[in-house]
Amino acid sequence: MLKKLFKKKNDTTVTLYSPVDGEVISLTDVPDPVFSEKMMGDGIAVKPVNGTIVAPIEGKVVQVFPTKHAVGIQTNNGLEILIHIGLETVGMQGEGFESFVEVEDVVKVGDKLITFNKNLVNEMAASDIVPIVITNTTDMKSIQPVEKGEVRAGQDVILTIVVK
């Protein structure tokens, strides 16, 4: 009986898939200190080859920025992620972005979240790199990125996270 009461809670391992087709790069290589210095949390980034962002994990949409350049998702086990499309894209005021989800929507891996005009982002913003950040990094036991390489949206794993 007491063993059951004091049994160590098992850690939960979560797999995060790429939200976009492209090439994985280290978050520390993102040319923006907010991301590269992990001020918002740890994670990874993808240099996209197209303009379709899909859900990288099953969860609930907790934030869609009014400018549609970023979306937040929370999983049932408490993992919080932010997908930020491009660098300095907030200044585009939503031009070239279309959202397919709203706050409180439940999504599964591969569901379309946002599309963006990649050429317009490259023309008007600092970069089209897509950082994927674990905003509650301190609640995680470990965050293990994949090695660099080509990834397909909703199909290839980019992070393995162990939730405390």
Side-chain angles (χ1 to χ4, degrees):
M1 172 79 173
L2 287 178
K3 278 186 178 181
K4 285 185 180 179
L5 286 175
F6 296 103
K7 185 178 177 185
K8 185 179 181 291
K9 187 174 92 173
N10 291 333
D11 294 325
T12 302
T13 300
V14 179
T15 302
L16 191 75
Y17 294 86
S18 182
V20 65
D21 294 337
E23 183 181 344
V24 170
I25 61 172
S26 171
L27 197 60
T28 57
D29 291 336
V30 173
D32 183 320
V34 171
F35 296 108
S36 65
E37 295 176 16
K38 302 180 182 180
M39 293 178 196
M40 295 179 71
D42 202 353
I44 199 162
V46 178
K47 177 74 173 151
V49 295
N50 62 36
T52 301
I53 303 293
V54 303
I57 199 160
E58 188 174 305
K60 181 172 69 172
V61 176
V62 292
Q63 188 171 25
V64 178
F65 283 68
T67 51
K68 302 176 191 111
H69 76 284
V71 61
I73 299 173
Q74 183 176 30
T75 66
N76 287 339
N77 54 17
L79 177 69
E80 299 169 1
I81 66 161
L82 175 72
I83 304 165
H84 193 282
I85 304 164
L87 304 178
E88 298 180 23
T89 47
V90 70
M92 293 176 64
Q93 299 293 314
E95 184 181 351
F97 294 86
E98 182 179 1
S99 177
F100 295 87
V101 293
E102 296 177 0
V103 171
E104 298 294 323
D105 284 355
V106 175
V107 295
K108 61 184 187 310
V109 174
D111 287 351
K112 189 187 297 187
L113 301 176
I114 296 174
T115 58
F116 65 100
N117 182 320
K118 189 173 171 331
N119 293 332
L120 192 61
V121 168
N122 281 323
E123 179 184 315
M124 297 179 71
S127 172
D128 64 356
I129 289 173
V130 178
I132 302 97
V133 178
I134 310 303
T135 56
N136 60 339
T137 295
T138 56
D139 296 339
M140 302 303 121
K141 187 172 184 177
S142 69
I143 299 171
Q144 183 63 48
V146 298
E147 297 298 319
K148 295 179 183 180
E150 296 294 318
V151 289
R152 293 162 297 168
Q155 296 179 38
D156 294 324
V157 175
I158 57 171
L159 288 175
T160 302
I161 303 126
V162 178
V163 180
K164 288 183 188 174

